[in-house]
Amino acid sequence: MTGAQASDGHTVSYSQTTITELMIPAYANFGGKIHGGTLLSLMDKVAYVCASKHAGNYCVTVSVDNVHFLAPVEVGDLVSLMASVNYVGSSSIVVGIKVVAENVQTATVKHTNTSYFTMVAKSDGSEKAVVPPLILQSVEHIRRFAGALRRRRLRSYMNERMDEYKKDFVVDEETRAFLANERCVIRLES
């Protein structure tokens, strides 16, 4: 590793990134709130900056976990997206992102989103690049690293179970009982 890719790693603070942007009317949906897609685009941008700084390489988004819109964002709000590397694998980087919206007229600040973007570092030849280790300097850093590892393992476990479920799926009495109180009507055609 050379340059920004120190073999002993980078601290969490090394690549922490905050982007703040004014929400303008062009970002609004028909209900007058900011489009979720606009927020996701900004989150992807801050994840890229944070991951690329840690990796010292170009990074691409491979997955997004836990996008929950907790509160609407209004036109005129200042939105700050705070990104931090939570976990690194050999070429992958999990970036945690917290989004807050501030109404500058009322000085009201609200947490609107938290999400986790998994990025992969790429070399000049588009091959996966090895990323520096993450230096954990606080209990919070260790908790976030362990939490990201747990989410990764749970996602793998869940994907395996869902693959089995799809492969073995049949519409039987157990399936009908499972769906009995849901808002669906089963009308299989022969």
Side-chain angles (χ1 to χ4, degrees), residues 100-173:
V100 296
E102 178 182 2
N103 180 316
V104 293
Q105 293 174 330
T106 64
T108 305
V109 177
K110 59 187 174 185
H111 176 203
T112 65
N113 295 67
T114 297
S115 189
Y116 305 96
F117 279 59
T118 300
M119 313 294 283
V120 168
K122 298 285 191 166
S123 66
D124 291 337
S126 293
E127 300 295 321
K128 289 182 180 180
V130 175
V131 298
L134 187 62
I135 299 169
L136 307 175
Q137 296 178 301
S138 72
V139 172
E140 181 69 9
H141 296 163
I142 297 167
R143 182 192 64 76
R144 288 179 179 179
F145 193 96
L149 185 57
R150 286 184 185 278
R151 274 190 306 280
R152 181 182 186 145
R153 289 180 179 170
L154 284 169
R155 184 174 49 251
S156 177
Y157 175 80
M158 181 60 89
N159 287 341
E160 290 171 11
R161 298 297 79 75
M162 287 306 295
D163 287 346
E164 289 173 13
Y165 170 77
K166 287 187 276 187
K167 183 183 71 165
D168 300 333
F169 183 80
V170 293
V171 179
D172 56 13
E173 289 308 310

Side-chain angles (χ1 to χ4, degrees), residues 2 16 19 21 30 37 70 76 96 122 134 157 163 173 186:
T2 61
Q16 283 178 323
I19 293 176
E21 187 160 336
F30 292 111
L70 306 172
K122 298 285 191 166
L134 187 62
Y157 175 80
D163 287 346
E173 289 308 310
I186 298 174

Side-chain angles (χ1 to χ4, degrees), residues 14-184:
Y14 175 80
S15 60
Q16 283 178 323
T17 304
T18 299
I19 293 176
T20 301
E21 187 160 336
L22 175 66
M23 296 295 103
I24 60 174
Y27 297 167
N29 60 24
F30 292 111
K33 309 297 181 197
I34 300 304
H35 279 286
T38 299
L39 295 171
L40 284 170
S41 177
L42 291 169
M43 292 166 78
D44 192 49
K45 184 187 300 184
V46 76
Y48 168 80
V49 172
C50 184
S52 293
K53 185 165 184 185
H54 180 86
N57 281 317
Y58 176 72
C59 290
V60 296
T61 306
V62 294
S63 71
V64 180
D65 289 344
N66 300 331
V67 178
H68 297 284
F69 296 100
L70 306 172
V73 176
E74 310 288 338
V75 171
D77 283 352
L78 283 180
V79 169
S80 294
L81 303 100
M82 295 158 276
S84 184
V85 173
N86 288 356
Y87 171 86
V88 297
S90 59
S91 62
S92 64
I93 299 172
V94 175
V95 177
I97 302 169
K98 181 178 181 180
V99 182
V100 296
E102 178 182 2
N103 180 316
V104 293
Q105 293 174 330
T106 64
T108 305
V109 177
K110 59 187 174 185
H111 176 203
T112 65
N113 295 67
T114 297
S115 189
Y116 305 96
F117 279 59
T118 300
M119 313 294 283
V120 168
K122 298 285 191 166
S123 66
D124 291 337
S126 293
E127 300 295 321
K128 289 182 180 180
V130 175
V131 298
L134 187 62
I135 299 169
L136 307 175
Q137 296 178 301
S138 72
V139 172
E140 181 69 9
H141 296 163
I142 297 167
R143 182 192 64 76
R144 288 179 179 179
F145 193 96
L149 185 57
R150 286 184 185 278
R151 274 190 306 280
R152 181 182 186 145
R153 289 180 179 170
L154 284 169
R155 184 174 49 251
S156 177
Y157 175 80
M158 181 60 89
N159 287 341
E160 290 171 11
R161 298 297 79 75
M162 287 306 295
D163 287 346
E164 289 173 13
Y165 170 77
K166 287 187 276 187
K167 183 183 71 165
D168 300 333
F169 183 80
V170 293
V171 179
D172 56 13
E173 289 308 310
E174 183 180 339
T175 303
R176 290 176 187 277
F178 180 68
L179 298 175
N181 295 319
E182 298 300 321
R183 294 192 46 79
C184 65

